[in-house]
Amino acid sequence: MRLPEQEATLTGSLNLDRYADHLIRRAEQVHTSLWSRFVSETVTSQQFAVLNVLRQSPGVDQSTVARLTSLDRSTAHHIVRRLTEQHYVSRTRDLSDRRRTLLALTAEGRKMHASLAPDAERINDELLAVFPGERRGEVLQILAQISQR
C-alpha cells in the first residue's frame, strides 16, 4: 500500500523527498562532505573503518575485516592493500594456518587512527545533532535495521 505522499504528481514524476533511497544517498553526500572537510581528504571513512577494526581487533584476517566493516571482500582487499602501501597496516602469515594473512596496525597506523578518531566522533555528533537528544538512539537503531537488510 502506498502512502499518499508517495503518489506520483500530476506530471507523473515522483516526489524524491519521500523516497528512502534518495534521502539515504543525500545523507551519504552530507557525510562525505563533512568527512573530507573536517576529518581527512586523504583517508576515506571506509579506510578509517578498517583502521578502527584493526585498532579494536589486531590480528584478524581480511575476511573478518570485511565482515566487521560491512564491506564486500573485493573492496576490503583494495582498502587493505592501499593501507598496507601507506604503511598503516602490516600483514603476517598465520602460523597455525599458512593460508591466512593476519592484519594489524603499524605504529604509523595507530598514530593515524588516533589523529582521525576525535574528528570522526565530532562529525558523527554533528550528523545526529539534527535530532533531539532523546531520539538519537532510535535513529541509530533505524539505520542499523536498514543496514541489516
Side-chain angles (χ1 to χ4, degrees):
M1 182 174 165
R2 296 183 143 220
L3 299 174
E5 55 271 3
Q6 288 181 315
E7 292 299 322
T9 64
L10 292 176
T11 64
S13 65
L14 303 175
N15 180 354
L16 293 179
D17 290 335
R18 299 292 184 191
Y19 281 82
D21 62 336
H22 176 74
L23 295 173
I24 289 169
R25 185 181 59 77
R26 289 287 303 127
E28 175 61 20
Q29 287 174 328
V30 169
H31 169 265
T32 300
S33 174
L34 288 172
W35 185 272
S36 65
R37 280 179 49 210
F38 298 112
V39 181
S40 178
E41 291 182 349
T42 57
V43 177
T44 67
S45 62
Q46 290 177 327
Q47 290 170 336
F48 176 77
V50 170
L51 293 174
N52 197 65
V53 162
L54 294 176
R55 181 74 179 142
Q56 283 180 324
S57 306
V60 297
D61 63 24
Q62 195 164 292
S63 294
T64 302
V65 168
R67 183 176 48 79
L68 293 174
T69 56
S70 300
L71 295 169
D72 63 76
R73 289 174 60 136
S74 173
T75 301
H77 173 77
H78 175 73
I79 289 172
V80 166
R81 189 182 81 234
R82 182 175 173 111
L83 293 173
T84 301
E85 289 169 357
Q86 295 172 318
H87 306 288
Y88 297 143
V89 172
S90 67
R91 303 166 143 211
T92 54
R93 285 278 174 218
D94 184 348
L95 297 177
S96 63
D97 181 352
R98 305 284 297 159
R99 295 169 297 176
R100 288 180 64 210
T101 301
L102 305 178
L103 307 170
L105 293 181
T106 62
E108 223 174 305
R110 287 189 299 277
K111 241 171 77 175
M112 177 56 74
H113 178 271
S115 74
L116 298 175
D119 291 331
E121 282 273 345
R122 196 171 300 117
I123 68 160
N124 185 64
D125 292 344
E126 185 162 330
L127 287 168
L128 292 173
V130 299
F131 302 102
E134 67 276 1
R135 303 253 349 255
R136 292 176 189 162
E138 179 185 354
V139 169
L140 291 173
Q141 284 180 328
I142 291 168
L143 291 171
Q145 286 175 323
I146 290 171
S147 69
Q148 292 171 5
R149 292 194 62 115

